[in-house]
Amino acid sequence: VLIDAYVRSYSPTQFKLINNEGIGTSSGRILLVRSAGVLLLMAVLLGIILWLAFSIIYPPEYMDGRQLVPMFIAGFLFFGIYKLLNPFILAMHLQNQLVVILVTTAAISLALDYILLEKWGILIAGLVTMGSYLVLAATSLAIYMQGLKRDSHN
């Protein structure tokens, strides 16, 4: 929700400028770097809050769940990368590629969670979910880079 709110705070003027100048311009890079910095700060703050919450709020028998916190934070960071790159990918008109990856990744993640959760527990399900966010972030970055390469040739 925080990332989505931040992305929605981009002004229409910024997107229009990036769309007119091309995504690889200084305006596009500045917006992306600024956004990445905010994302990293949010991930670190969320990690600290979650880590402390286990120590303060939950009883001792919940401390085993603390091992999932790094996976939550990594998943948050990877999902944030996808959310931050998404407007740029839309500006480059490459969203169809991303939709295919998004649906495929979600289906595989849900299937693996269903299969593995009962047999190996929540830790494996957390790893699978984090892995699906990693795939989504890496794919978004690859599509973004593909768009930059395409735009630089035009």
PDB file of all heavy atoms in Angstrom, residues 34-69:
ATOM      1  N   ARG A  34      15.318   8.140  -7.224  1.00  0.00           N
ATOM      2  CA  ARG A  34      14.638   8.667  -6.039  1.00  0.00           C
ATOM      3  C   ARG A  34      13.652   7.631  -5.498  1.00  0.00           C
ATOM      4  O   ARG A  34      13.580   7.384  -4.297  1.00  0.00           O
ATOM      5  CB  ARG A  34      13.915   9.960  -6.395  1.00  0.00           C
ATOM      6  CG  ARG A  34      13.297  10.645  -5.184  1.00  0.00           C
ATOM      7  CD  ARG A  34      12.426  11.794  -5.564  1.00  0.00           C
ATOM      8  NE  ARG A  34      11.151  11.253  -5.985  1.00  0.00           N
ATOM      9  CZ  ARG A  34      10.225  11.931  -6.626  1.00  0.00           C
ATOM     10  NH1 ARG A  34      10.428  13.174  -6.963  1.00  0.00           N
ATOM     11  NH2 ARG A  34       9.080  11.368  -6.952  1.00  0.00           N
ATOM     12  N   SER A  35      12.920   7.011  -6.381  1.00  0.00           N
ATOM     13  CA  SER A  35      11.940   6.005  -5.974  1.00  0.00           C
ATOM     14  C   SER A  35      12.614   4.793  -5.352  1.00  0.00           C
ATOM     15  O   SER A  35      12.129   4.245  -4.362  1.00  0.00           O
ATOM     16  CB  SER A  35      11.107   5.570  -7.186  1.00  0.00           C
ATOM     17  OG  SER A  35      10.427   6.667  -7.722  1.00  0.00           O
ATOM     18  N   ALA A  36      13.722   4.359  -5.921  1.00  0.00           N
ATOM     19  CA  ALA A  36      14.454   3.219  -5.376  1.00  0.00           C
ATOM     20  C   ALA A  36      14.967   3.526  -3.968  1.00  0.00           C
ATOM     21  O   ALA A  36      14.928   2.672  -3.075  1.00  0.00           O
ATOM     22  CB  ALA A  36      15.597   2.828  -6.297  1.00  0.00           C
ATOM     23  N   GLY A  37      15.419   4.747  -3.745  1.00  0.00           N
ATOM     24  CA  GLY A  37      15.877   5.147  -2.416  1.00  0.00           C
ATOM     25  C   GLY A  37      14.760   5.114  -1.391  1.00  0.00           C
ATOM     26  O   GLY A  37      14.941   4.625  -0.271  1.00  0.00           O
ATOM     27  N   VAL A  38      13.591   5.610  -1.782  1.00  0.00           N
ATOM     28  CA  VAL A  38      12.437   5.588  -0.882  1.00  0.00           C
ATOM     29  C   VAL A  38      12.032   4.141  -0.592  1.00  0.00           C
ATOM     30  O   VAL A  38      11.712   3.787   0.539  1.00  0.00           O
ATOM     31  CB  VAL A  38      11.260   6.388  -1.483  1.00  0.00           C
ATOM     32  CG1 VAL A  38       9.973   6.159  -0.716  1.00  0.00           C
ATOM     33  CG2 VAL A  38      11.605   7.868  -1.509  1.00  0.00           C
ATOM     34  N   LEU A  39      12.058   3.294  -1.625  1.00  0.00           N
ATOM     35  CA  LEU A  39      11.709   1.889  -1.452  1.00  0.00           C
ATOM     36  C   LEU A  39      12.653   1.201  -0.467  1.00  0.00           C
ATOM     37  O   LEU A  39      12.217   0.483   0.430  1.00  0.00           O
ATOM     38  CB  LEU A  39      11.755   1.172  -2.799  1.00  0.00           C
ATOM     39  CG  LEU A  39      11.628  -0.345  -2.758  1.00  0.00           C
ATOM     40  CD1 LEU A  39      10.247  -0.737  -2.258  1.00  0.00           C
ATOM     41  CD2 LEU A  39      11.890  -0.927  -4.120  1.00  0.00           C
ATOM     42  N   LEU A  40      13.934   1.426  -0.607  1.00  0.00           N
ATOM     43  CA  LEU A  40      14.914   0.816   0.292  1.00  0.00           C
ATOM     44  C   LEU A  40      14.699   1.299   1.727  1.00  0.00           C
ATOM     45  O   LEU A  40      14.728   0.497   2.670  1.00  0.00           O
ATOM     46  CB  LEU A  40      16.329   1.138  -0.178  1.00  0.00           C
ATOM     47  CG  LEU A  40      17.462   0.501   0.605  1.00  0.00           C
ATOM     48  CD1 LEU A  40      17.345  -1.024   0.575  1.00  0.00           C
ATOM     49  CD2 LEU A  40      18.799   0.943   0.046  1.00  0.00           C
ATOM     50  N   LEU A  41      14.441   2.573   1.896  1.00  0.00           N
ATOM     51  CA  LEU A  41      14.175   3.111   3.226  1.00  0.00           C
ATOM     52  C   LEU A  41      12.932   2.471   3.834  1.00  0.00           C
ATOM     53  O   LEU A  41      12.941   2.077   5.009  1.00  0.00           O
ATOM     54  CB  LEU A  41      14.008   4.632   3.145  1.00  0.00           C
ATOM     55  CG  LEU A  41      13.686   5.337   4.460  1.00  0.00           C
ATOM     56  CD1 LEU A  41      14.841   5.199   5.445  1.00  0.00           C
ATOM     57  CD2 LEU A  41      13.363   6.795   4.202  1.00  0.00           C
ATOM     58  N   MET A  42      11.861   2.331   3.039  1.00  0.00           N
ATOM     59  CA  MET A  42      10.647   1.703   3.548  1.00  0.00           C
ATOM     60  C   MET A  42      10.902   0.251   3.934  1.00  0.00           C
ATOM     61  O   MET A  42      10.388  -0.231   4.946  1.00  0.00           O
ATOM     62  CB  MET A  42       9.519   1.791   2.515  1.00  0.00           C
ATOM     63  CG  MET A  42       8.920   3.180   2.411  1.00  0.00           C
ATOM     64  SD  MET A  42       7.376   3.277   1.474  1.00  0.00           S
ATOM     65  CE  MET A  42       7.822   2.687  -0.127  1.00  0.00           C
ATOM     66  N   ALA A  43      11.688  -0.475   3.145  1.00  0.00           N
ATOM     67  CA  ALA A  43      11.977  -1.881   3.442  1.00  0.00           C
ATOM     68  C   ALA A  43      12.752  -1.998   4.756  1.00  0.00           C
ATOM     69  O   ALA A  43      12.452  -2.858   5.588  1.00  0.00           O
ATOM     70  CB  ALA A  43      12.759  -2.512   2.294  1.00  0.00           C
ATOM     71  N   VAL A  44      13.735  -1.144   4.954  1.00  0.00           N
ATOM     72  CA  VAL A  44      14.529  -1.186   6.180  1.00  0.00           C
ATOM     73  C   VAL A  44      13.661  -0.852   7.391  1.00  0.00           C
ATOM     74  O   VAL A  44      13.709  -1.542   8.419  1.00  0.00           O
ATOM     75  CB  VAL A  44      15.747  -0.232   6.075  1.00  0.00           C
ATOM     76  CG1 VAL A  44      16.424  -0.048   7.416  1.00  0.00           C
ATOM     77  CG2 VAL A  44      16.737  -0.759   5.041  1.00  0.00           C
ATOM     78  N   LEU A  45      12.846   0.209   7.279  1.00  0.00           N
ATOM     79  CA  LEU A  45      11.976   0.585   8.399  1.00  0.00           C
ATOM     80  C   LEU A  45      10.966  -0.513   8.716  1.00  0.00           C
ATOM     81  O   LEU A  45      10.727  -0.827   9.886  1.00  0.00           O
ATOM     82  CB  LEU A  45      11.256   1.896   8.089  1.00  0.00           C
ATOM     83  CG  LEU A  45      12.133   3.142   8.088  1.00  0.00           C
ATOM     84  CD1 LEU A  45      11.330   4.363   7.661  1.00  0.00           C
ATOM     85  CD2 LEU A  45      12.778   3.369   9.442  1.00  0.00           C
ATOM     86  N   LEU A  46      10.383  -1.120   7.687  1.00  0.00           N
ATOM     87  CA  LEU A  46       9.438  -2.204   7.905  1.00  0.00           C
ATOM     88  C   LEU A  46      10.133  -3.398   8.572  1.00  0.00           C
ATOM     89  O   LEU A  46       9.573  -4.029   9.466  1.00  0.00           O
ATOM     90  CB  LEU A  46       8.803  -2.641   6.590  1.00  0.00           C
ATOM     91  CG  LEU A  46       7.750  -3.738   6.695  1.00  0.00           C
ATOM     92  CD1 LEU A  46       6.559  -3.262   7.502  1.00  0.00           C
ATOM     93  CD2 LEU A  46       7.304  -4.174   5.316  1.00  0.00           C
ATOM     94  N   GLY A  47      11.348  -3.692   8.158  1.00  0.00           N
ATOM     95  CA  GLY A  47      12.104  -4.785   8.769  1.00  0.00           C
ATOM     96  C   GLY A  47      12.355  -4.555  10.245  1.00  0.00           C
ATOM     97  O   GLY A  47      12.187  -5.456  11.071  1.00  0.00           O
ATOM     98  N   ILE A  48      12.725  -3.335  10.600  1.00  0.00           N
ATOM     99  CA  ILE A  48      12.964  -3.006  12.003  1.00  0.00           C
ATOM    100  C   ILE A  48      11.677  -3.137  12.810  1.00  0.00           C
ATOM    101  O   ILE A  48      11.663  -3.723  13.901  1.00  0.00           O
ATOM    102  CB  ILE A  48      13.556  -1.582  12.122  1.00  0.00           C
ATOM    103  CG1 ILE A  48      14.981  -1.567  11.548  1.00  0.00           C
ATOM    104  CG2 ILE A  48      13.555  -1.108  13.570  1.00  0.00           C
ATOM    105  CD1 ILE A  48      15.558  -0.184  11.360  1.00  0.00           C
ATOM    106  N   ILE A  49      10.575  -2.625  12.253  1.00  0.00           N
ATOM    107  CA  ILE A  49       9.282  -2.707  12.956  1.00  0.00           C
ATOM    108  C   ILE A  49       8.864  -4.158  13.163  1.00  0.00           C
ATOM    109  O   ILE A  49       8.451  -4.552  14.253  1.00  0.00           O
ATOM    110  CB  ILE A  49       8.207  -1.911  12.192  1.00  0.00           C
ATOM    111  CG1 ILE A  49       8.501  -0.417  12.288  1.00  0.00           C
ATOM    112  CG2 ILE A  49       6.810  -2.226  12.712  1.00  0.00           C
ATOM    113  CD1 ILE A  49       7.689   0.444  11.342  1.00  0.00           C
ATOM    114  N   LEU A  50       8.965  -4.975  12.106  1.00  0.00           N
ATOM    115  CA  LEU A  50       8.580  -6.390  12.233  1.00  0.00           C
ATOM    116  C   LEU A  50       9.466  -7.129  13.232  1.00  0.00           C
ATOM    117  O   LEU A  50       8.992  -7.938  14.023  1.00  0.00           O
ATOM    118  CB  LEU A  50       8.639  -7.087  10.879  1.00  0.00           C
ATOM    119  CG  LEU A  50       7.473  -6.851   9.941  1.00  0.00           C
ATOM    120  CD1 LEU A  50       7.742  -7.487   8.583  1.00  0.00           C
ATOM    121  CD2 LEU A  50       6.200  -7.415  10.524  1.00  0.00           C
ATOM    122  N   TRP A  51      10.766  -6.861  13.181  1.00  0.00           N
ATOM    123  CA  TRP A  51      11.701  -7.546  14.081  1.00  0.00           C
ATOM    124  C   TRP A  51      11.382  -7.196  15.532  1.00  0.00           C
ATOM    125  O   TRP A  51      11.340  -8.067  16.402  1.00  0.00           O
ATOM    126  CB  TRP A  51      13.127  -7.156  13.720  1.00  0.00           C
ATOM    127  CG  TRP A  51      14.137  -8.061  14.330  1.00  0.00           C
ATOM    128  CD1 TRP A  51      14.870  -7.843  15.458  1.00  0.00           C
ATOM    129  CD2 TRP A  51      14.516  -9.356  13.867  1.00  0.00           C
ATOM    130  NE1 TRP A  51      15.686  -8.916  15.708  1.00  0.00           N
ATOM    131  CE2 TRP A  51      15.494  -9.856  14.744  1.00  0.00           C
ATOM    132  CE3 TRP A  51      14.132 -10.131  12.791  1.00  0.00           C
ATOM    133  CZ2 TRP A  51      16.085 -11.095  14.583  1.00  0.00           C
ATOM    134  CZ3 TRP A  51      14.726 -11.371  12.623  1.00  0.00           C
ATOM    135  CH2 TRP A  51      15.689 -11.842  13.511  1.00  0.00           C
ATOM    136  N   LEU A  52      11.143  -5.926  15.786  1.00  0.00           N
ATOM    137  CA  LEU A  52      10.812  -5.498  17.147  1.00  0.00           C
ATOM    138  C   LEU A  52       9.437  -5.993  17.580  1.00  0.00           C
ATOM    139  O   LEU A  52       9.227  -6.303  18.753  1.00  0.00           O
ATOM    140  CB  LEU A  52      10.884  -3.974  17.254  1.00  0.00           C
ATOM    141  CG  LEU A  52      12.277  -3.372  17.130  1.00  0.00           C
ATOM    142  CD1 LEU A  52      12.195  -1.857  17.125  1.00  0.00           C
ATOM    143  CD2 LEU A  52      13.196  -3.875  18.229  1.00  0.00           C
ATOM    144  N   ALA A  53       8.507  -6.069  16.642  1.00  0.00           N
ATOM    145  CA  ALA A  53       7.155  -6.520  16.975  1.00  0.00           C
ATOM    146  C   ALA A  53       7.174  -7.935  17.535  1.00  0.00           C
ATOM    147  O   ALA A  53       6.425  -8.245  18.474  1.00  0.00           O
ATOM    148  CB  ALA A  53       6.252  -6.442  15.750  1.00  0.00           C
ATOM    149  N   PHE A  54       8.016  -8.776  16.984  1.00  0.00           N
ATOM    150  CA  PHE A  54       8.101 -10.143  17.500  1.00  0.00           C
ATOM    151  C   PHE A  54       8.625 -10.149  18.924  1.00  0.00           C
ATOM    152  O   PHE A  54       8.215 -10.973  19.737  1.00  0.00           O
ATOM    153  CB  PHE A  54       8.977 -11.012  16.589  1.00  0.00           C
ATOM    154  CG  PHE A  54       8.203 -11.686  15.511  1.00  0.00           C
ATOM    155  CD1 PHE A  54       8.053 -11.096  14.269  1.00  0.00           C
ATOM    156  CD2 PHE A  54       7.589 -12.902  15.742  1.00  0.00           C
ATOM    157  CE1 PHE A  54       7.320 -11.709  13.270  1.00  0.00           C
ATOM    158  CE2 PHE A  54       6.856 -13.523  14.751  1.00  0.00           C
ATOM    159  CZ  PHE A  54       6.721 -12.925  13.507  1.00  0.00           C
ATOM    160  N   SER A  55       9.531  -9.259  19.231  1.00  0.00           N
ATOM    161  CA  SER A  55      10.104  -9.217  20.578  1.00  0.00           C
ATOM    162  C   SER A  55       9.136  -8.626  21.588  1.00  0.00           C
ATOM    163  O   SER A  55       9.120  -9.032  22.747  1.00  0.00           O
ATOM    164  CB  SER A  55      11.380  -8.370  20.571  1.00  0.00           C
ATOM    165  OG  SER A  55      12.300  -8.885  19.664  1.00  0.00           O
ATOM    166  N   ILE A  56       8.330  -7.675  21.175  1.00  0.00           N
ATOM    167  CA  ILE A  56       7.492  -6.922  22.102  1.00  0.00           C
ATOM    168  C   ILE A  56       6.066  -7.474  22.180  1.00  0.00           C
ATOM    169  O   ILE A  56       5.526  -7.663  23.264  1.00  0.00           O
ATOM    170  CB  ILE A  56       7.461  -5.434  21.696  1.00  0.00           C
ATOM    171  CG1 ILE A  56       8.860  -4.844  21.809  1.00  0.00           C
ATOM    172  CG2 ILE A  56       6.480  -4.643  22.542  1.00  0.00           C
ATOM    173  CD1 ILE A  56       9.016  -3.488  21.168  1.00  0.00           C
ATOM    174  N   ILE A  57       5.454  -7.720  21.042  1.00  0.00           N
ATOM    175  CA  ILE A  57       4.027  -8.040  20.985  1.00  0.00           C
ATOM    176  C   ILE A  57       3.735  -9.523  21.194  1.00  0.00           C
ATOM    177  O   ILE A  57       2.833  -9.887  21.948  1.00  0.00           O
ATOM    178  CB  ILE A  57       3.425  -7.568  19.645  1.00  0.00           C
ATOM    179  CG1 ILE A  57       3.550  -6.052  19.532  1.00  0.00           C
ATOM    180  CG2 ILE A  57       1.980  -7.997  19.505  1.00  0.00           C
ATOM    181  CD1 ILE A  57       3.189  -5.500  18.192  1.00  0.00           C
ATOM    182  N   TYR A  58       4.482 -10.367  20.521  1.00  0.00           N
ATOM    183  CA  TYR A  58       4.130 -11.790  20.501  1.00  0.00           C
ATOM    184  C   TYR A  58       4.733 -12.551  21.674  1.00  0.00           C
ATOM    185  O   TYR A  58       5.837 -12.258  22.116  1.00  0.00           O
ATOM    186  CB  TYR A  58       4.585 -12.427  19.185  1.00  0.00           C
ATOM    187  CG  TYR A  58       3.859 -11.857  18.000  1.00  0.00           C
ATOM    188  CD1 TYR A  58       4.508 -11.030  17.098  1.00  0.00           C
ATOM    189  CD2 TYR A  58       2.516 -12.143  17.779  1.00  0.00           C
ATOM    190  CE1 TYR A  58       3.844 -10.493  16.011  1.00  0.00           C
ATOM    191  CE2 TYR A  58       1.843 -11.613  16.698  1.00  0.00           C
ATOM    192  CZ  TYR A  58       2.511 -10.789  15.815  1.00  0.00           C
ATOM    193  OH  TYR A  58       1.843 -10.264  14.752  1.00  0.00           O
ATOM    194  N   PRO A  59       4.029 -13.573  22.151  1.00  0.00           N
ATOM    195  CA  PRO A  59       4.562 -14.399  23.244  1.00  0.00           C
ATOM    196  C   PRO A  59       5.747 -15.238  22.748  1.00  0.00           C
ATOM    197  O   PRO A  59       5.943 -15.399  21.544  1.00  0.00           O
ATOM    198  CB  PRO A  59       3.371 -15.277  23.638  1.00  0.00           C
ATOM    199  CG  PRO A  59       2.418 -15.226  22.512  1.00  0.00           C
ATOM    200  CD  PRO A  59       2.676 -13.962  21.765  1.00  0.00           C
ATOM    201  N   PRO A  60       6.530 -15.782  23.667  1.00  0.00           N
ATOM    202  CA  PRO A  60       7.740 -16.528  23.305  1.00  0.00           C
ATOM    203  C   PRO A  60       7.505 -17.678  22.317  1.00  0.00           C
ATOM    204  O   PRO A  60       8.366 -17.972  21.494  1.00  0.00           O
ATOM    205  CB  PRO A  60       8.265 -17.057  24.635  1.00  0.00           C
ATOM    206  CG  PRO A  60       7.701 -16.152  25.661  1.00  0.00           C
ATOM    207  CD  PRO A  60       6.382 -15.666  25.115  1.00  0.00           C
ATOM    208  N   GLU A  61       6.338 -18.319  22.366  1.00  0.00           N
ATOM    209  CA  GLU A  61       6.111 -19.452  21.454  1.00  0.00           C
ATOM    210  C   GLU A  61       5.987 -19.012  19.990  1.00  0.00           C
ATOM    211  O   GLU A  61       6.048 -19.837  19.088  1.00  0.00           O
ATOM    212  CB  GLU A  61       4.895 -20.285  21.875  1.00  0.00           C
ATOM    213  CG  GLU A  61       3.603 -19.535  21.985  1.00  0.00           C
ATOM    214  CD  GLU A  61       3.321 -19.015  23.390  1.00  0.00           C
ATOM    215  OE1 GLU A  61       4.235 -18.984  24.237  1.00  0.00           O
ATOM    216  OE2 GLU A  61       2.174 -18.629  23.630  1.00  0.00           O
ATOM    217  N   TYR A  62       5.845 -17.722  19.742  1.00  0.00           N
ATOM    218  CA  TYR A  62       5.774 -17.210  18.368  1.00  0.00           C
ATOM    219  C   TYR A  62       7.158 -16.849  17.819  1.00  0.00           C
ATOM    220  O   TYR A  62       7.272 -16.446  16.669  1.00  0.00           O
ATOM    221  CB  TYR A  62       4.882 -15.967  18.316  1.00  0.00           C
ATOM    222  CG  TYR A  62       3.410 -16.272  18.259  1.00  0.00           C
ATOM    223  CD1 TYR A  62       2.770 -16.882  19.334  1.00  0.00           C
ATOM    224  CD2 TYR A  62       2.657 -15.963  17.145  1.00  0.00           C
ATOM    225  CE1 TYR A  62       1.423 -17.156  19.308  1.00  0.00           C
ATOM    226  CE2 TYR A  62       1.300 -16.241  17.111  1.00  0.00           C
ATOM    227  CZ  TYR A  62       0.694 -16.843  18.191  1.00  0.00           C
ATOM    228  OH  TYR A  62      -0.639 -17.121  18.151  1.00  0.00           O
ATOM    229  N   MET A  63       8.185 -16.961  18.623  1.00  0.00           N
ATOM    230  CA  MET A  63       9.514 -16.528  18.193  1.00  0.00           C
ATOM    231  C   MET A  63      10.031 -17.321  16.996  1.00  0.00           C
ATOM    232  O   MET A  63      10.876 -16.829  16.259  1.00  0.00           O
ATOM    233  CB  MET A  63      10.501 -16.599  19.353  1.00  0.00           C
ATOM    234  CG  MET A  63      10.258 -15.536  20.419  1.00  0.00           C
ATOM    235  SD  MET A  63      10.120 -13.851  19.781  1.00  0.00           S
ATOM    236  CE  MET A  63      11.828 -13.481  19.480  1.00  0.00           C
ATOM    237  N   ASP A  64       9.529 -18.537  16.759  1.00  0.00           N
ATOM    238  CA  ASP A  64       9.934 -19.283  15.569  1.00  0.00           C
ATOM    239  C   ASP A  64       9.517 -18.549  14.296  1.00  0.00           C
ATOM    240  O   ASP A  64      10.168 -18.670  13.259  1.00  0.00           O
ATOM    241  CB  ASP A  64       9.313 -20.683  15.565  1.00  0.00           C
ATOM    242  CG  ASP A  64       9.955 -21.595  16.597  1.00  0.00           C
ATOM    243  OD1 ASP A  64      11.050 -21.249  17.090  1.00  0.00           O
ATOM    244  OD2 ASP A  64       9.361 -22.645  16.908  1.00  0.00           O
ATOM    245  N   GLY A  65       8.448 -17.791  14.363  1.00  0.00           N
ATOM    246  CA  GLY A  65       7.990 -17.025  13.206  1.00  0.00           C
ATOM    247  C   GLY A  65       8.910 -15.885  12.843  1.00  0.00           C
ATOM    248  O   GLY A  65       8.849 -15.356  11.734  1.00  0.00           O
ATOM    249  N   ARG A  66       9.797 -15.528  13.753  1.00  0.00           N
ATOM    250  CA  ARG A  66      10.742 -14.439  13.488  1.00  0.00           C
ATOM    251  C   ARG A  66      11.664 -14.768  12.320  1.00  0.00           C
ATOM    252  O   ARG A  66      12.148 -13.866  11.644  1.00  0.00           O
ATOM    253  CB  ARG A  66      11.548 -14.172  14.748  1.00  0.00           C
ATOM    254  CG  ARG A  66      12.184 -12.842  14.799  1.00  0.00           C
ATOM    255  CD  ARG A  66      12.858 -12.648  16.130  1.00  0.00           C
ATOM    256  NE  ARG A  66      13.032 -11.236  16.386  1.00  0.00           N
ATOM    257  CZ  ARG A  66      13.708 -10.767  17.387  1.00  0.00           C
ATOM    258  NH1 ARG A  66      14.259 -11.580  18.265  1.00  0.00           N
ATOM    259  NH2 ARG A  66      13.831  -9.473  17.560  1.00  0.00           N
ATOM    260  N   GLN A  67      11.888 -16.044  12.063  1.00  0.00           N
ATOM    261  CA  GLN A  67      12.763 -16.430  10.949  1.00  0.00           C
ATOM    262  C   GLN A  67      12.164 -16.051   9.596  1.00  0.00           C
ATOM    263  O   GLN A  67      12.865 -15.998   8.590  1.00  0.00           O
ATOM    264  CB  GLN A  67      13.057 -17.923  10.998  1.00  0.00           C
ATOM    265  CG  GLN A  67      11.830 -18.805  10.822  1.00  0.00           C
ATOM    266  CD  GLN A  67      12.138 -20.263  11.053  1.00  0.00           C
ATOM    267  OE1 GLN A  67      13.282 -20.663  11.000  1.00  0.00           O
ATOM    268  NE2 GLN A  67      11.109 -21.044  11.311  1.00  0.00           N
ATOM    269  N   LEU A  68      10.855 -15.775   9.552  1.00  0.00           N
ATOM    270  CA  LEU A  68      10.207 -15.370   8.308  1.00  0.00           C
ATOM    271  C   LEU A  68      10.379 -13.887   8.004  1.00  0.00           C
ATOM    272  O   LEU A  68      10.164 -13.466   6.869  1.00  0.00           O
ATOM    273  CB  LEU A  68       8.713 -15.703   8.350  1.00  0.00           C
ATOM    274  CG  LEU A  68       8.361 -17.185   8.417  1.00  0.00           C
ATOM    275  CD1 LEU A  68       6.871 -17.357   8.650  1.00  0.00           C
ATOM    276  CD2 LEU A  68       8.794 -17.896   7.159  1.00  0.00           C
ATOM    277  N   VAL A  69      10.776 -13.096   8.998  1.00  0.00           N
ATOM    278  CA  VAL A  69      10.883 -11.648   8.803  1.00  0.00           C
ATOM    279  C   VAL A  69      11.827 -11.288   7.651  1.00  0.00           C
ATOM    280  O   VAL A  69      11.464 -10.487   6.796  1.00  0.00           O
ATOM    281  CB  VAL A  69      11.269 -10.936  10.120  1.00  0.00           C
ATOM    282  CG1 VAL A  69      11.603  -9.471   9.878  1.00  0.00           C
ATOM    283  CG2 VAL A  69      10.132 -11.058  11.122  1.00  0.00           C
TER     284      VAL A  69
END
